[in-house]
């Protein structure tokens, strides 16, 4: 019996669980503008939390002179300088010299991350979790370095550059695609969990690459485990960054074109339709005539090819040969994809944010006394806060959480206990 005085019906009052589900529904149905505002707010909130962490760390550290003062209290670290270096430092003195070295570093990091972010997005679109992008990138990089070096002696000049760069990219994509197809086939035809197989194949790729780069194909003139260096004409041209061999605007343009091409493939082609429908509702897709097994293998092969292409770009721009200890671009690509909501076009912006953070971290290490561990925490906070709304949105789109936890999105309980 309800109290007529307050005019409310206890049965109609939403429970905390229902309010949580309603919030998730609103997040899933958010428009592009709303999602952008959510991400921007999350970025600001992460900086506020990071600001406080810097102040706390600054009070726990001993120093002769306070770097920052707030309300008459001195702190050893200046949070304003840290964030200025982290974000703006990644672009260097852009107004005075748009082609400065720090901006070149940001470009090189962003370029590879676009490839790995799009690679993960393709697999996620198909409902497959490709955690093996790092292994596919490593094998693509190794194959590209070895194959390009093997034929580099037969060519030279501008023609040699065009042929060798194209050849190196093709080899990297082919090998990465083959390596990506392995866990795809295991999932499609043996029902093997792709998360486990891709993680294990990452270790296999790293170990095999270590053996080959430190043994049969090791550069005899180097103490490091690396292959012979490619000639300059076998690398991406660097027309806009004189004196730099680790960044190429041509490679960045290629990455953007690939991302746009994959977006078109997913949205405008029959193959892309098969991938998307298999990821959203595999049973319905198979009932509609989609070969689910073939789609899984094809999507993983395409994902691996993109990661391998990123490995080839890494060799042909940043490294100049294959070196063990390749940076974790493949793992970072997972976060890039989540930040972008598995949108290949959004992966460009997400990769730029990641590239800025990685390049800016170098500036923070050089220009401040803040320990690298704290800088890593600040980067992690930014990624965590910005990525989590998109992560929950992805989960909400794929899983009917109310049904899973004993409810229905639209069901309303009546007094008789039946669903209306």
């Amino acid at each position: 019996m309800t109290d007529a005085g307050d005019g409310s019906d206890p049965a109609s009052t939403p429970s905390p669980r229902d309010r949580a589900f309603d919030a998730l529904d609103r997040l899933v149905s958010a428009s592009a503008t709303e999602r952008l505002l959510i991400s921007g707010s999350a970025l600001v909130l992460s900086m506020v939390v990071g600001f406080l962490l810097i102040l706390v760390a600054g009070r726990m550290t001993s120093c002769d002179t306070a770097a920052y003062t707030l309300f008459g209290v001195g702190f050893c670290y200046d949070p304003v300088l840290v964030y200025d270096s982290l974000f703006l430092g990644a672009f260097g003195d852009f107004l005075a010299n748009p082609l400065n070295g720090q901006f070149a570093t940001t470009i090189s990091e962003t370029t590879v991350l676009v490839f790995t972010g799009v690679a993960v997005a393709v697999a996620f679109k198909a409902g497959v979790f490709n955690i093996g992008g790092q292994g596919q990138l490593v094998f693509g990089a190794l194959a590209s370095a070895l194959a390009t070096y093997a034929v580099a002696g037969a060519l030279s000049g501008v023609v040699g550059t065009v042929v060798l760069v194209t050849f190196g990219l093709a080899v990297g994509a082919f090998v990465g695609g083959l390596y990506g197809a392995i866990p795809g086939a295991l999932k499609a035809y043996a029902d093997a969990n792709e998360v486990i197989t891709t993680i294990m194949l990452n270790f296999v790729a790293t170990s095999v690459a270590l053996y080959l780069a430190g043994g049969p194909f090791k550069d005899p003139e180097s103490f490091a485990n690396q292959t012979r260096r490619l000639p300059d004409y076998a690398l991406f041209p660097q027309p806009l960054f004189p004196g730099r061999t680790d960044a190429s605007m041509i490679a960045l343009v290629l990455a953007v074109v690939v991302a746009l091409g994959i977006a078109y493939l997913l949205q405008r082609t029959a193959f892309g339709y098969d991938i998307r429908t298999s990821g959203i509702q595999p049973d319905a897709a198979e009932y509609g005539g989609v070969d689910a097994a073939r789609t899984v293998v094809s999507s993983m092969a395409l994902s691996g090819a993109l990661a391998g292409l990123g490995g080839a770009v890494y060799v042909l721009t940043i490294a100049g040969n294959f070196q063990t200890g390749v940076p974790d671009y493949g793992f970072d690509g997972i976060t890039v994809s989540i930040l972008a909501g598995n949108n290949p076009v959004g992966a460009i912006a997400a990769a730029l944010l990641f590239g800025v953070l990685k390049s800016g971290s170098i500036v923070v290490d050089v220009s401040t006394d803040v320990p690298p561990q704290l800088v890593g925490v600040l980067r992690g906070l930014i990624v965590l806060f910005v990525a989590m709304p998109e992560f929950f949105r992805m989960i909400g789109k794929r899983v009917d959480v109310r049904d899973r936890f004993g409810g229905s999105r639209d069901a309303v309980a009546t007094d008789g206990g039946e669903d209306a």
Side-chain angles (χ1 to χ4, degrees), residues 6 17 25 52 58 61 101 108 128 159 230 251 269 312 317 323 351 389 393:
D6 60 12
R17 188 185 69 171
D25 286 338
L52 297 176
T61 304
S108 64
V128 185
V159 175
L230 299 174
T269 67
T317 55
Q323 306 167 1
R393 182 174 179 273

Side-chain angles (χ1 to χ4, degrees), residues 4-354:
D6 60 12
S8 62
D9 183 4
S12 65
T13 303
S15 67
R17 188 185 69 171
D18 289 334
R19 287 196 292 269
F21 288 142
D22 290 339
L24 183 59
D25 286 338
R26 291 195 296 271
L27 184 60
V28 169
S29 60
S31 65
T33 302
E34 291 171 334
R35 290 164 60 191
L36 183 62
L37 291 175
I38 291 172
S39 297
S41 301
L43 176 61
V44 173
L45 182 59
S46 70
M47 294 177 64
V48 171
V49 175
F51 190 97
L52 297 176
L53 283 178
I54 296 172
L55 292 181
V56 171
R59 285 298 297 173
M60 297 173 64
T61 304
S62 300
C63 56
D64 295 331
T65 304
Y68 185 77
T69 303
L70 182 66
F71 301 123
V73 179
F75 301 90
C76 292
Y77 304 141
D78 184 351
V80 177
L81 176 61
V82 169
Y83 278 113
D84 176 77
S85 301
L86 185 61
F87 287 103
L88 300 182
F91 297 94
D93 193 356
F94 191 79
L95 296 179
N97 179 18
L99 304 179
N100 63 81
Q102 199 59 46
F103 182 56
T105 301
T106 303
I107 291 297
S108 64
E109 295 288 338
T110 300
T111 301
V112 181
L113 288 170
V114 171
F115 286 106
T116 57
V118 175
V120 175
V122 168
F124 280 4
K125 283 286 188 182
V128 185
F129 294 92
N130 183 12
I131 314 299
Q134 182 67 17
Q136 295 146 18
L137 179 141
V138 167
F139 263 168
L142 178 61
S144 177
L146 295 178
T148 304
Y149 184 84
V151 300
L155 299 165
S156 63
V158 176
V159 175
T161 299
V162 174
V163 173
L164 292 173
V165 169
T166 304
F167 177 70
L169 293 174
V171 170
F174 178 74
V175 173
L178 284 180
Y179 204 58
I182 295 175
L186 291 174
K187 177 179 178 61
Y189 300 109
D191 199 25
N193 187 292
E194 75 275 14
V195 175
I196 296 175
T197 56
T198 51
I199 289 176
M200 297 306 295
L201 286 172
N202 282 335
F203 289 102
V204 172
T206 303
S207 299
V208 172
L210 176 61
Y211 166 73
L212 294 178
F217 300 104
K218 184 179 184 300
D219 183 358
E221 298 180 358
S222 173
F223 291 104
N225 292 324
Q226 62 182 21
T227 61
R228 292 176 173 84
R229 181 167 182 82
L230 299 174
D232 290 341
Y233 62 83
L235 306 177
F236 266 97
Q238 323 284 344
L240 297 181
F241 295 102
R244 297 286 300 234
T245 60
D246 61 348
S248 172
M249 290 299 294
I250 297 177
L252 178 61
V253 170
L254 173 65
V256 172
V257 170
V258 168
L260 296 176
I262 294 297
Y264 179 86
L265 175 73
L266 292 175
Q267 295 295 330
R268 303 292 183 181
T269 67
F271 176 64
Y273 175 81
D274 290 348
I275 289 179
R276 290 185 291 110
T277 53
S278 296
I280 296 173
Q281 182 51 265
D283 293 335
E286 193 164 6
Y287 180 79
V290 176
D291 189 332
R294 185 179 65 181
T295 301
V296 168
V297 177
S298 299
S299 60
M300 283 296 290
L302 177 58
S303 178
L306 291 168
L309 192 60
V313 169
Y314 169 75
V315 165
L316 299 175
T317 55
I318 299 175
N321 62 353
F322 180 82
Q323 306 167 1
T324 56
V326 177
D328 294 335
Y329 293 113
F331 295 114
D332 290 340
I334 299 173
T335 310
V336 169
S337 179
I338 294 176
L339 283 173
N342 294 334
N343 186 322
V345 178
I348 301 172
L352 176 61
L353 173 61
F354 239 80

